[in-house]
Tab-separated table of all heavy atoms in Angstrom:
chain	number	residue	atom	x	y	z
W	27	THR	N	0.838	-1.193	0.000
W	27	THR	CA	0.000	0.001	0.000
W	27	THR	C	0.872	1.242	0.000
W	27	THR	O	1.805	1.352	0.809
W	27	THR	CB	-0.920	0.029	1.233
W	27	THR	OG1	-1.708	-1.164	1.272
W	27	THR	CG2	-1.851	1.241	1.189
W	28	VAL	N	0.605	2.152	-0.922
W	28	VAL	CA	1.287	3.445	-0.932
W	28	VAL	C	0.230	4.537	-0.826
W	28	VAL	O	-0.890	4.399	-1.327
W	28	VAL	CB	2.145	3.648	-2.200
W	28	VAL	CG1	3.269	2.639	-2.249
W	28	VAL	CG2	1.302	3.562	-3.464
W	29	VAL	N	0.589	5.616	-0.155
W	29	VAL	CA	-0.355	6.697	0.116
W	29	VAL	C	0.247	8.017	-0.354
W	29	VAL	O	1.445	8.272	-0.194
W	29	VAL	CB	-0.679	6.768	1.627
W	29	VAL	CG1	-1.554	7.976	1.942
W	29	VAL	CG2	-1.370	5.496	2.083
W	30	GLY	N	-0.597	8.866	-0.936
W	30	GLY	CA	-0.191	10.197	-1.343
W	30	GLY	C	-1.410	11.086	-1.452
W	30	GLY	O	-2.379	10.914	-0.712
W	31	THR	N	-1.377	12.014	-2.382
W	31	THR	CA	-2.509	12.897	-2.660
W	31	THR	C	-2.793	12.854	-4.156
W	31	THR	O	-2.019	12.274	-4.932
W	31	THR	CB	-2.204	14.340	-2.246
W	31	THR	OG1	-1.148	14.856	-3.101
W	31	THR	CG2	-1.767	14.431	-0.783
W	32	LEU	N	-3.884	13.479	-4.562
W	32	LEU	CA	-4.174	13.535	-5.987
W	32	LEU	C	-3.028	14.172	-6.766
W	32	LEU	O	-2.762	13.804	-7.915
W	32	LEU	CB	-5.471	14.312	-6.232
W	32	LEU	CG	-6.778	13.572	-5.928
W	32	LEU	CD1	-7.970	14.511	-6.082
W	32	LEU	CD2	-6.946	12.345	-6.818
W	33	GLU	N	-2.343	15.117	-6.162
W	33	GLU	CA	-1.249	15.794	-6.850
W	33	GLU	C	0.032	14.970	-6.878
W	33	GLU	O	0.860	15.143	-7.774
W	33	GLU	CB	-0.970	17.144	-6.176
W	33	GLU	CG	-2.093	18.164	-6.362
W	33	GLU	CD	-1.837	19.455	-5.605
W	33	GLU	OE1	-1.100	19.402	-4.599
W	33	GLU	OE2	-2.374	20.493	-6.021
W	34	SER	N	0.202	14.062	-5.915
W	34	SER	CA	1.489	13.372	-5.796
W	34	SER	C	1.459	11.878	-6.085
W	34	SER	O	2.505	11.266	-6.304
W	34	SER	CB	2.040	13.566	-4.377
W	34	SER	OG	1.222	12.909	-3.409
W	35	ILE	N	0.279	11.261	-6.094
W	35	ILE	CA	0.220	9.800	-6.090
W	35	ILE	C	0.832	9.171	-7.338
W	35	ILE	O	1.496	8.122	-7.255
W	35	ILE	CB	-1.243	9.303	-5.898
W	35	ILE	CG1	-1.264	7.794	-5.615
W	35	ILE	CG2	-2.099	9.671	-7.098
W	35	ILE	CD1	-0.568	7.378	-4.348
W	36	ALA	N	0.667	9.787	-8.510
W	36	ALA	CA	1.217	9.196	-9.737
W	36	ALA	C	2.740	9.134	-9.667
W	36	ALA	O	3.352	8.131	-10.076
W	36	ALA	CB	0.757	9.989	-10.954
W	37	ASP	N	3.375	10.183	-9.146
W	37	ASP	CA	4.836	10.190	-9.021
W	37	ASP	C	5.294	9.166	-7.989
W	37	ASP	O	6.297	8.474	-8.191
W	37	ASP	CB	5.330	11.586	-8.628
W	37	ASP	CG	5.188	12.593	-9.756
W	37	ASP	OD1	5.192	12.180	-10.931
W	37	ASP	OD2	5.065	13.799	-9.455
W	38	ILE	N	4.566	9.058	-6.879
W	38	ILE	CA	4.938	8.097	-5.833
W	38	ILE	C	4.854	6.682	-6.366
W	38	ILE	O	5.754	5.849	-6.139
W	38	ILE	CB	4.032	8.271	-4.606
W	38	ILE	CG1	4.300	9.629	-3.936
W	38	ILE	CG2	4.238	7.134	-3.612
W	38	ILE	CD1	3.310	9.967	-2.831
W	39	VAL	N	3.773	6.372	-7.076
W	39	VAL	CA	3.601	5.032	-7.640
W	39	VAL	C	4.716	4.724	-8.642
W	39	VAL	O	5.265	3.607	-8.655
W	39	VAL	CB	2.216	4.915	-8.302
W	39	VAL	CG1	2.147	3.700	-9.220
W	39	VAL	CG2	1.132	4.821	-7.235
W	40	ALA	N	5.083	5.703	-9.465
W	40	ALA	CA	6.156	5.500	-10.439
W	40	ALA	C	7.493	5.257	-9.742
W	40	ALA	O	8.268	4.374	-10.137
W	40	ALA	CB	6.254	6.712	-11.362
W	41	GLN	N	7.760	6.021	-8.686
W	41	GLN	CA	9.013	5.870	-7.953
W	41	GLN	C	9.107	4.514	-7.265
W	41	GLN	O	10.178	3.909	-7.195
W	41	GLN	CB	9.150	6.989	-6.916
W	41	GLN	CG	9.370	8.369	-7.520
W	41	GLN	CD	9.139	9.496	-6.525
W	41	GLN	OE1	8.898	9.259	-5.338
W	41	GLN	NE2	9.214	10.732	-7.003
W	42	ARG	N	7.978	4.032	-6.760
W	42	ARG	CA	7.965	2.752	-6.043
W	42	ARG	C	7.849	1.554	-6.985
W	42	ARG	O	7.981	0.412	-6.552
W	42	ARG	CB	6.800	2.740	-5.045
W	42	ARG	CG	6.942	3.756	-3.922
W	42	ARG	CD	7.936	3.284	-2.875
W	42	ARG	NE	7.453	2.104	-2.193
W	42	ARG	CZ	6.673	2.131	-1.109
W	42	ARG	NH1	6.288	3.297	-0.588
W	42	ARG	NH2	6.288	1.020	-0.530
W	43	GLY	N	7.548	1.821	-8.256
W	43	GLY	CA	7.420	0.731	-9.220
W	43	GLY	C	6.194	-0.127	-9.011
W	43	GLY	O	6.199	-1.323	-9.317
W	44	ILE	N	5.116	0.473	-8.503
W	44	ILE	CA	3.879	-0.272	-8.267
W	44	ILE	C	3.193	-0.539	-9.607
W	44	ILE	O	2.988	0.367	-10.407
W	44	ILE	CB	2.925	0.500	-7.335
W	44	ILE	CG1	3.631	0.870	-6.032
W	44	ILE	CG2	1.666	-0.305	-7.073
W	44	ILE	CD1	4.051	-0.305	-5.198
W	45	GLU	N	2.804	-1.782	-9.825
W	45	GLU	CA	2.171	-2.170	-11.083
W	45	GLU	C	0.796	-2.772	-10.817
W	45	GLU	O	0.461	-3.105	-9.683
W	45	GLU	CB	3.058	-3.181	-11.822
W	45	GLU	CG	4.416	-2.613	-12.226
W	45	GLU	CD	5.249	-3.609	-13.005
W	45	GLU	OE1	4.866	-4.812	-13.037
W	45	GLU	OE2	6.271	-3.209	-13.581
W	46	PRO	N	-0.017	-2.923	-11.863
W	46	PRO	CA	-1.305	-3.590	-11.700
W	46	PRO	C	-1.089	-5.049	-11.291
W	46	PRO	O	-0.014	-5.612	-11.555
W	46	PRO	CB	-1.928	-3.504	-13.088
W	46	PRO	CG	-1.164	-2.429	-13.795
W	46	PRO	CD	0.215	-2.459	-13.236
W	47	PRO	N	-2.086	-5.660	-10.652
W	47	PRO	CA	-3.402	-5.104	-10.310
W	47	PRO	C	-3.351	-4.304	-9.011
W	47	PRO	O	-2.569	-4.614	-8.117
W	47	PRO	CB	-4.271	-6.355	-10.129
W	47	PRO	CG	-3.293	-7.385	-9.627
W	47	PRO	CD	-1.995	-7.103	-10.333
W	48	ALA	N	-4.162	-3.283	-8.953
W	48	ALA	CA	-4.224	-2.455	-7.756
W	48	ALA	C	-5.571	-1.769	-7.695
W	48	ALA	O	-6.208	-1.517	-8.724
W	48	ALA	CB	-3.107	-1.418	-7.747
W	49	VAL	N	-5.992	-1.461	-6.483
W	49	VAL	CA	-7.217	-0.705	-6.242
W	49	VAL	C	-6.814	0.688	-5.771
W	49	VAL	O	-5.946	0.832	-4.903
W	49	VAL	CB	-8.094	-1.397	-5.180
W	49	VAL	CG1	-9.303	-0.532	-4.813
W	49	VAL	CG2	-8.556	-2.757	-5.689
W	50	ILE	N	-7.431	1.709	-6.348
W	50	ILE	CA	-7.146	3.097	-6.011
W	50	ILE	C	-8.297	3.631	-5.159
W	50	ILE	O	-9.461	3.476	-5.526
W	50	ILE	CB	-6.988	3.950	-7.287
W	50	ILE	CG1	-5.897	3.358	-8.193
W	50	ILE	CG2	-6.685	5.406	-6.939
W	50	ILE	CD1	-5.939	3.875	-9.622
W	51	VAL	N	-7.962	4.238	-4.036
W	51	VAL	CA	-8.967	4.790	-3.130
W	51	VAL	C	-8.694	6.280	-2.953
W	51	VAL	O	-7.581	6.670	-2.596
W	51	VAL	CB	-8.950	4.092	-1.760
W	51	VAL	CG1	-10.092	4.606	-0.888
W	51	VAL	CG2	-9.032	2.579	-1.911
W	52	VAL	N	-9.715	7.094	-3.202
W	52	VAL	CA	-9.595	8.547	-3.105
W	52	VAL	C	-10.554	9.052	-2.036
W	52	VAL	O	-11.757	8.762	-2.100
W	52	VAL	CB	-9.916	9.224	-4.454
W	52	VAL	CG1	-9.789	10.748	-4.348
W	52	VAL	CG2	-9.023	8.682	-5.566
W	53	GLY	N	-10.049	9.801	-1.073
W	53	GLY	CA	-10.939	10.389	-0.070
W	53	GLY	C	-10.311	10.452	1.310
W	53	GLY	O	-9.247	9.882	1.565
W	54	ASP	N	-11.003	11.133	2.207
W	54	ASP	CA	-10.470	11.354	3.548
W	54	ASP	C	-10.317	10.066	4.352
W	54	ASP	O	-9.536	10.020	5.309
W	54	ASP	CB	-11.368	12.343	4.312
W	54	ASP	CG	-11.207	13.773	3.821
W	54	ASP	OD1	-10.170	14.067	3.186
W	54	ASP	OD2	-12.113	14.587	4.076
W	55	VAL	N	-11.046	9.008	3.982
W	55	VAL	CA	-10.914	7.745	4.730
W	55	VAL	C	-9.504	7.179	4.632
W	55	VAL	O	-9.086	6.386	5.492
W	55	VAL	CB	-11.937	6.695	4.248
W	55	VAL	CG1	-13.355	7.116	4.605
W	55	VAL	CG2	-11.799	6.442	2.743
W	56	VAL	N	-8.757	7.589	3.602
W	56	VAL	CA	-7.381	7.108	3.442
W	56	VAL	C	-6.519	7.516	4.646
W	56	VAL	O	-5.544	6.840	4.984
W	56	VAL	CB	-6.784	7.626	2.121
W	56	VAL	CG1	-5.284	7.314	2.022
W	56	VAL	CG2	-7.527	7.004	0.927
W	57	LYS	N	-6.887	8.609	5.316
W	57	LYS	CA	-6.126	9.061	6.488
W	57	LYS	C	-6.090	8.003	7.583
W	57	LYS	O	-5.189	7.997	8.433
W	57	LYS	CB	-6.744	10.338	7.043
W	57	LYS	CG	-6.706	11.533	6.106
W	57	LYS	CD	-7.446	12.718	6.720
W	57	LYS	CE	-7.478	13.905	5.789
W	57	LYS	NZ	-8.258	15.045	6.362
W	58	LEU	N	-7.055	7.089	7.589
W	58	LEU	CA	-7.127	6.077	8.636
W	58	LEU	C	-6.167	4.908	8.397
W	58	LEU	O	-5.987	4.072	9.282
W	58	LEU	CB	-8.558	5.556	8.756
W	58	LEU	CG	-9.595	6.589	9.220
W	58	LEU	CD1	-10.987	5.999	9.173
W	58	LEU	CD2	-9.262	7.063	10.629
W	59	HIS	N	-5.554	4.855	7.226
W	59	HIS	CA	-4.648	3.743	6.916
W	59	HIS	C	-3.535	3.626	7.956
W	59	HIS	O	-3.238	2.533	8.440
W	59	HIS	CB	-4.045	3.929	5.526
W	59	HIS	CG	-2.835	3.084	5.274
W	59	HIS	ND1	-2.888	1.716	5.153
W	59	HIS	CD2	-1.517	3.427	5.148
W	59	HIS	CE1	-1.662	1.240	4.950
W	59	HIS	NE2	-0.813	2.256	4.944
W	60	SER	N	-2.911	4.739	8.310
W	60	SER	CA	-1.782	4.684	9.239
W	60	SER	C	-2.196	4.225	10.626
W	60	SER	O	-1.395	3.668	11.381
W	60	SER	CB	-1.107	6.061	9.324
W	60	SER	OG	-2.031	7.032	9.795
W	61	LEU	N	-3.462	4.428	10.974
W	61	LEU	CA	-3.965	4.045	12.292
W	61	LEU	C	-4.527	2.626	12.312
W	61	LEU	O	-4.331	1.885	13.277
W	61	LEU	CB	-5.053	5.035	12.734
W	61	LEU	CG	-5.770	4.744	14.050
W	61	LEU	CD1	-4.785	4.874	15.214
W	61	LEU	CD2	-6.954	5.696	14.225
W	62	LEU	N	-5.219	2.241	11.240
W	62	LEU	CA	-5.996	0.999	11.257
W	62	LEU	C	-5.370	-0.158	10.490
W	62	LEU	O	-5.934	-1.251	10.492
W	62	LEU	CB	-7.401	1.265	10.697
W	62	LEU	CG	-8.250	2.302	11.438
W	62	LEU	CD1	-9.624	2.420	10.792
W	62	LEU	CD2	-8.372	1.957	12.909
W	63	HIS	N	-4.233	0.065	9.823
W	63	HIS	CA	-3.681	-1.057	9.050
W	63	HIS	C	-3.335	-2.205	9.997
W	63	HIS	O	-2.751	-2.007	11.057
W	63	HIS	CB	-2.457	-0.626	8.244
W	63	HIS	CG	-1.242	-0.322	9.062
W	63	HIS	ND1	-1.056	0.884	9.680
W	63	HIS	CD2	-0.163	-1.079	9.374
W	63	HIS	CE1	0.087	0.873	10.339
W	63	HIS	NE2	0.648	-0.305	10.175
W	64	TRP	N	-3.730	-3.392	9.599
W	64	TRP	CA	-3.622	-4.567	10.472
W	64	TRP	C	-2.978	-5.765	9.780
W	64	TRP	O	-2.460	-6.660	10.426
W	64	TRP	CB	-5.010	-4.991	10.951
W	64	TRP	CG	-5.951	-5.323	9.812
W	64	TRP	CD1	-6.745	-4.448	9.132
W	64	TRP	CD2	-6.132	-6.597	9.191
W	64	TRP	NE1	-7.431	-5.099	8.132
W	64	TRP	CE2	-7.073	-6.424	8.148
W	64	TRP	CE3	-5.606	-7.875	9.429
W	64	TRP	CZ2	-7.489	-7.472	7.330
W	64	TRP	CZ3	-6.019	-8.921	8.613
W	64	TRP	CH2	-6.959	-8.713	7.569
W	65	PHE	N	-3.012	-5.774	8.472
W	65	PHE	CA	-2.583	-6.946	7.715
W	65	PHE	C	-1.105	-6.842	7.366
W	65	PHE	O	-0.684	-5.883	6.721
W	65	PHE	CB	-3.429	-7.062	6.439
W	65	PHE	CG	-2.979	-8.149	5.500
W	65	PHE	CD1	-3.004	-9.474	5.882
W	65	PHE	CD2	-2.547	-7.836	4.221
W	65	PHE	CE1	-2.601	-10.485	5.006
W	65	PHE	CE2	-2.151	-8.830	3.339
W	65	PHE	CZ	-2.173	-10.151	3.733
W	66	ASP	N	-0.327	-7.817	7.810
W	66	ASP	CA	1.097	-7.881	7.484
W	66	ASP	C	1.309	-9.007	6.475
W	66	ASP	O	1.296	-10.192	6.841
W	66	ASP	CB	1.928	-8.141	8.743
W	66	ASP	CG	3.422	-8.177	8.438
W	66	ASP	OD1	3.802	-7.987	7.264
W	66	ASP	OD2	4.201	-8.422	9.375
W	67	PRO	N	1.486	-8.672	5.203
W	67	PRO	CA	1.608	-9.720	4.185
W	67	PRO	C	2.850	-10.584	4.365
W	67	PRO	O	2.940	-11.665	3.786
W	67	PRO	CB	1.665	-8.931	2.868
W	67	PRO	CG	2.116	-7.570	3.254
W	67	PRO	CD	1.572	-7.319	4.626
W	68	ARG	N	3.809	-10.122	5.167
W	68	ARG	CA	5.040	-10.898	5.370
W	68	ARG	C	4.924	-11.888	6.522
W	68	ARG	O	5.836	-12.670	6.767
W	68	ARG	CB	6.210	-9.944	5.652
W	68	ARG	CG	6.475	-8.956	4.514
W	68	ARG	CD	7.341	-7.820	4.989
W	68	ARG	NE	6.664	-7.068	6.053
W	68	ARG	CZ	7.190	-6.016	6.660
W	68	ARG	NH1	8.394	-5.604	6.325
W	68	ARG	NH2	6.522	-5.384	7.602
W	69	SER	N	3.817	-11.840	7.245
W	69	SER	CA	3.708	-12.643	8.455
W	69	SER	C	3.616	-14.127	8.139
W	69	SER	O	2.947	-14.547	7.198
W	69	SER	CB	2.478	-12.219	9.270
W	69	SER	OG	1.297	-12.592	8.604
W	70	THR	N	4.281	-14.928	8.953
W	70	THR	CA	4.235	-16.383	8.791
W	70	THR	C	2.818	-16.897	8.974
W	70	THR	O	2.383	-17.813	8.285
W	70	THR	CB	5.162	-17.053	9.809
W	70	THR	OG1	6.488	-16.547	9.615
W	70	THR	CG2	5.155	-18.560	9.632
W	71	SER	N	2.094	-16.267	9.921
W	71	SER	CA	0.745	-16.740	10.208
W	71	SER	C	-0.145	-16.623	8.987
W	71	SER	O	-0.957	-17.500	8.718
W	71	SER	CB	0.139	-15.952	11.372
W	71	SER	OG	0.045	-14.570	11.052
W	72	HIS	N	0.030	-15.540	8.202
W	72	HIS	CA	-0.805	-15.411	7.004
W	72	HIS	C	-0.414	-16.436	5.951
W	72	HIS	O	-1.268	-17.021	5.295
W	72	HIS	CB	-0.704	-14.004	6.418
W	72	HIS	CG	-1.526	-13.848	5.169
W	72	HIS	ND1	-0.995	-13.938	3.905
W	72	HIS	CD2	-2.860	-13.665	4.992
W	72	HIS	CE1	-1.960	-13.794	3.007
W	72	HIS	NE2	-3.090	-13.629	3.632
């Protein structure tokens, strides 16, 4: 998951090399990502 703004997100995605498939979410709810993220894709348990 990468986070930015409408003005910056395209550059951030290009810099990070993020490719499809991906879901894009626009809005103030994105602010909750830093607080509510729970899923660790690297975890052994997953």
Side-chain angles (χ1 to χ4, degrees):
T27 304
V28 296
V29 174
T31 66
L32 284 174
E33 292 176 335
S34 66
I35 191 63
D37 289 334
I38 293 172
V39 164
Q41 291 165 5
R42 295 283 294 272
I44 305 296
E45 297 182 348
V49 174
I50 304 163
V51 185
V52 180
D54 286 340
V55 292
V56 172
K57 297 176 182 177
L58 295 174
H59 163 69
S60 60
L61 176 66
L62 300 182
H63 70 278
W64 59 273
F65 174 63
D66 181 1
R68 300 164 298 180
S69 70
T70 302
S71 61
H72 179 262

